[in-house]
Amino acid sequence: MKIKNIILAAVAVLFAVSASAQTQKFAHVDSQKLIAQLDEFKQAQAKLEAESSKISEQMQSMQQELQAKYNDYVSKADSLPDVVRQVKEQELQEMQQRMQVMGKAADQSLQQTQAKLLQPIFNKVQEAIDAVGKENGFIYIFDLSSQVVLFHSEQSTDAEPLVLAKIAAMPKN
């Protein structure tokens, strides 16, 4: 009789655990794919590319100027007095240093611009994912674009269409 009760209790526990596991809902999105579809992201990318191109043109112009001054120096170096040659060498070194400083400043500026343009987009996507998760009773929404998820079953809901619809319904900034 005791064994029968223990078996019945074990079956009841297994049934309860199984029923509880079946009610848990999981979903997934590919956040990189989702973000790449947004018009705001495409506009931000275009702004970043334009800024990068402008900086690249300036750096290229400075490089050409440096190269021209260097070529001029090399062609005349043997005929220049020592004092003039040293001044020209110093000028070339200073110009090279200015280019390095400008390159670092340009990189920092691009990174700041990128953060300023993309952070509101990331926030908007996260807000939409949070809302979809709450509205649909998902316990977890996994990001397939990260390397964290090693497996997802077909039973996992693709929340991307829900998130895109939620973003579309949000007020435009």
Side-chain angles (χ1 to χ4, degrees):
M1 194 66 151
K2 270 186 164 184
I3 293 178
K4 187 176 180 183
N5 287 341
I6 292 173
I7 292 174
L8 285 175
V11 168
V13 168
L14 286 174
F15 180 74
V17 168
S18 173
S20 142
Q22 289 175 356
T23 60
Q24 296 177 352
K25 293 172 67 177
F26 299 93
H28 61 273
V29 296
D30 184 335
S31 66
Q32 290 179 355
K33 178 182 165 194
L34 187 145
I35 289 169
Q37 295 177 55
L38 301 178
D39 288 336
E40 296 107 313
F41 179 75
K42 293 172 186 171
Q43 292 166 1
Q45 286 296 99
K47 286 179 184 177
L48 285 171
E49 287 173 14
E51 183 75 18
S52 177
S53 179
K54 189 169 80 174
I55 290 170
S56 181
E57 287 173 14
Q58 290 173 343
M59 293 297 292
Q60 191 172 25
S61 174
M62 286 181 74
Q63 180 64 39
Q64 288 171 348
E65 182 182 349
L66 176 63
Q67 189 64 45
K69 285 185 177 193
Y70 176 76
N71 291 342
D72 183 54
Y73 165 76
V74 168
S75 68
K76 298 176 183 176
D78 292 337
S79 64
L80 295 174
D82 286 343
V83 173
V84 174
R85 190 171 54 241
Q86 289 174 352
V87 169
K88 295 269 187 197
E89 289 172 358
Q90 183 67 31
E91 287 174 0
L92 290 170
Q93 288 175 352
E94 288 173 0
M95 191 171 187
Q96 178 73 32
Q97 290 172 346
R98 281 194 307 272
M99 283 184 57
Q100 289 174 349
V101 168
M102 183 182 167
K104 288 179 185 178
D107 287 344
Q108 289 176 344
S109 175
L110 277 175
Q111 288 175 356
Q112 289 172 347
T113 301
Q114 181 180 29
K116 184 177 127 188
L117 291 173
L118 297 182
Q119 194 58 51
I121 296 168
F122 297 152
N123 292 345
K124 186 176 188 176
V125 168
Q126 185 60 55
E127 183 181 327
I129 289 171
D130 292 346
V132 165
K134 288 176 185 171
E135 290 170 6
N136 291 280
F138 295 125
I139 294 173
Y140 292 104
I141 297 180
F142 296 99
D143 186 355
L144 297 180
S145 63
S146 71
Q147 299 302 317
V148 176
V149 178
L150 301 176
F151 170 80
H152 83 277
S153 115
E154 293 301 318
Q155 294 172 338
S156 176
T157 302
D158 183 358
E160 183 177 320
L162 299 170
V163 173
L164 285 171
K166 182 61 69 177
I167 290 170
M170 290 177 160
K172 302 288 182 207
N173 293 344

